[in-house]
Amino acid sequence: MAAHTLNIYMLSLGRMHCHIYGRNVHKALNRATYATALSTNNSSLNKGFPDRGSRGPIIRRPRREEGEPRKDKMPVDQDWTAVYPTAAPFRPGSVPLPVRMGFPVKRGVPPEKKGNLELIKIPNFLHLTPTAIKKHCEAMKLFCTEWPSALDTNVKCDEHFPIKIECKDYVSAGTSIRNPSARIVNLRVKLSSLNLDDHAGKKMAKLLGERYYKETDIITIITDSCPVRQQNYDYAMYLLTVLYHESWKTEAWESEKTVADMEEYSWEDSPSQKNALSTLVRMQIAGEVEGDAVRDKLLGRPEVQEYRESVIRLMNEGESESSILQYREAVKKLLKL
Amino acid sequence: MAVPMILGRNIHSFARIVLGASQSGSIGLNTCRNRGIYTTLRPFRLTLSACLHTGTVVSSQPSSTVTVTEEPDTLYQKVSVLVKGHDKAVLDSYEFFATLTAKELGVTLGKVFEPPKNIERLTLLKSVHIFNKHRVQYEMRTHYRCIELCHVTGSTAQVYLEYIQRNLPEGVAMEVTKTAMERIPEHILKPMWKDLPTDPPTEEKPNQ
């Protein structure tokens, strides 16, 4: 375009000049301008292709004719796993179904499958027909092992295999296949399944703190401090081992355990016991000698035992209809109301 | 009752077997007439796509690729597979595929359910500069599907999960939660203080 305008200007310039200088000059000038215009036109008319120099022209093979689409040659009882053996995009010529997909035009139907981008975009499961799945499973069955028949219920599993290790694996598409959350290991054991005596059990519960849930008696140890899952698993097992062995030991300062540290309420040496005994003693003060023998006798009585049980139940389990009623009955019997 | 030891099986050239099986059923029967299918044991050199184009036949009998190791198989009380995607139809198809695979491999299925979908909505400004009153709203919908398997051995779980994960469609993510069962290790069976009567309690060495 620029060259064309330039030529026009040159031509007009030439004409202007010839008006001033005479005819001969005009012819020469015109020839000069025309000559330059022609030469540029020739060089740019290389059939629209860039100049390849010594390499020669690009060889383009002629496009061959496409044959009949595969779906027209398909027998009814063919093996579909040969058409789609692996995951492949949707090929309208290979799928003999009259599928339509897409948003329909006004008062029309969804577009047909030929040249339909919507059908190519979505993932298809044409390579995973039930026949194909069964074939694959037949081949894979060699590598599978059976579950032991002796462990059919969850109860039996918990009895023989009390430790539960929970790990998570993540599969997703992205720039990296790694997921840092995959290193977390969750270890769960029931406290009752470990070989612990009374003191050791209580000490273990105290050491674990929040990680021990009393209602279900389950210890949960979640480790994520190490970068590798195997390391986290080893650390969790190490923690369990240390807790177990430490809870069996009795330190010197453990003898200073006060009533406030106790997990459960015990009636012996409690204000409730003292009060009850003093009340009973005062009730029977006429004609009886005070002393340890009297106290033991009083403690041995069934009403006192009942009272003791009801108080323990109230303190440990909390207040409920039945526990309060039980306490009421026990008190009535004790005080002979 | 003594629980029998479950020996682990290694997956040796797993993909080879799968592709070989699908091939032998399809190409072997149709085109291979001159060569015996089960007599020659050729190494599987060509990839599947190359075979399809050139039309050659590769006989694919797995020649003793199953090795039985001595280490005991891990036992999974529960294997939970959660798949997430943007398209519910894709997840429906995947669920059908996963459940059929489990049935064929003999894996006991627990619950197969659909947790509620999660929609994340964004309200952004439509224009690059000013025009605060004109906004555009986007939303991202994540659909979930959970398939739980109960009482699976380690080898079976490995086979099933590898197969499932290789056939995971595009745009679908998966999260697998495996709950393995283990016995109490030997060093926790009884406290070590009982064996060492003269050790003072302050000197301790934690066992690993």
Side-chain angles (χ1 to χ4, degrees), chain B residues 109-174:
Chain B
L109 273 177
K111 292 187 290 175
V112 177
F113 61 102
E114 187 183 348
K117 66 175 183 276
N118 174 43
I119 307 179
E120 189 187 330
R121 293 196 173 100
L122 302 169
T123 309
L124 308 169
L125 293 172
K126 212 187 243 190
S127 168
V128 159
H129 181 59
I130 52 171
F131 303 121
N132 220 354
K133 280 195 229 169
H134 301 90
R135 311 238 176 159
V136 71
Q137 290 186 314
Y138 297 105
E139 66 176 29
M140 285 177 283
R141 297 187 175 192
T142 312
H143 300 268
Y144 302 93
R145 211 49 78 98
C146 190
I147 299 154
E148 286 183 5
L149 319 167
C150 300
H151 294 330
V152 203
T153 54
S155 316
T156 314
Q158 211 177 358
V159 168
Y160 179 79
L161 287 172
E162 183 168 347
Y163 182 57
I164 291 281
Q165 284 164 8
R166 272 182 196 270
N167 289 311
L168 198 67
E170 306 81 18
V172 173
M174 188 200 279

Side-chain angles (χ1 to χ4, degrees), chain A residues 28-284:
Chain A
L29 277 170
N30 275 348
R31 245 180 270 133
T33 51
Y34 281 139
T36 48
L38 271 169
S39 61
T40 47
N41 272 339
N42 258 334
S43 58
S44 67
L45 258 183
N46 259 340
K47 292 173 192 170
F49 298 117
D51 185 26
R52 276 172 67 92
S54 56
R55 284 187 293 173
I58 305 169
I59 304 164
R60 292 257 159 86
R61 288 185 188 84
R63 190 187 166 131
R64 64 184 169 100
E65 275 185 26
E66 52 181 70
E68 213 190 353
R70 188 173 173 175
K71 62 181 169 71
D72 296 336
K73 298 184 264 187
M74 281 180 176
V76 179
D77 56 348
Q78 70 168 338
D79 186 18
W80 182 253
T81 54
V83 187
Y84 269 89
T86 46
F90 181 84
R91 290 183 288 265
S94 299
V95 177
L97 305 165
V99 184
R100 287 182 172 269
M101 182 149 164
F103 193 80
V105 294
K106 258 190 197 171
R107 294 157 81 235
V109 290
E112 55 173 14
K113 64 177 180 177
K114 186 154 182 234
N116 195 331
L117 192 64
E118 296 293 324
L119 281 166
I120 300 174
K121 282 197 295 193
I122 51 139
N124 64 61
F125 283 77
L126 293 162
H127 58 293
L128 292 174
T129 50
T131 329
I133 297 172
K134 281 175 186 146
K135 269 195 204 163
H136 296 156
C137 289
E138 279 308 311
M140 293 192 300
K141 263 206 185 292
L142 297 166
F143 301 101
C144 296
T145 48
E146 263 189 33
W147 183 261
S149 47
L151 294 170
D152 37 355
T153 56
N154 269 342
V155 176
K156 283 192 203 162
C157 293
D158 292 342
E159 191 193 314
H160 295 282
F161 298 89
I163 297 187
K164 314 274 187 241
I165 312 278
E166 199 175 289
C167 318
K168 286 196 186 189
D169 292 325
Y170 299 88
V171 180
S172 65
T175 45
S176 162
I177 57 166
R178 317 282 169 198
N179 193 319
S181 315
R183 70 184 201 280
I184 300 172
V185 171
N186 186 332
L187 187 142
R188 279 196 307 263
V189 193
K190 274 215 166 136
L191 191 71
S192 45
S193 55
L194 299 169
N195 180 20
L196 294 164
D197 70 352
D198 201 34
H199 156 262
K202 287 184 185 164
K203 185 167 175 187
M204 180 92 135
K206 272 210 189 297
L207 284 170
L208 284 165
E210 260 195 13
R211 293 171 195 81
Y212 172 65
Y213 191 48
K214 207 169 161 199
E215 315 301 317
T216 54
D217 195 37
I218 290 182
I219 300 168
T220 312
I221 296 175
I222 303 177
T223 39
D224 63 345
S225 43
C226 306
V228 178
R229 187 192 282 172
Q230 183 60 34
Q231 293 172 346
N232 279 319
Y233 169 73
D234 291 338
Y235 181 53
M237 295 308 277
Y238 160 75
L239 283 178
L240 190 65
T241 317
V242 164
L243 281 165
Y244 178 79
H245 291 292
E246 287 297 311
S247 57
W248 270 103
K249 285 198 295 190
T250 314
E251 304 281 340
W253 43 261
E254 280 186 45
S255 55
E256 294 161 23
K257 193 173 178 186
T258 59
V259 176
D261 295 325
M262 300 286 185
E263 297 87 4
E264 280 179 341
Y265 177 80
S266 71
W267 194 68
E268 287 75 26
D269 298 327
S270 75
S272 170
Q273 188 197 34
K274 288 179 206 145
N275 289 340
L277 284 172
S278 61
T279 317
L280 285 170
V281 159
R282 265 190 251 126
M283 272 163 64
Q284 298 163 0

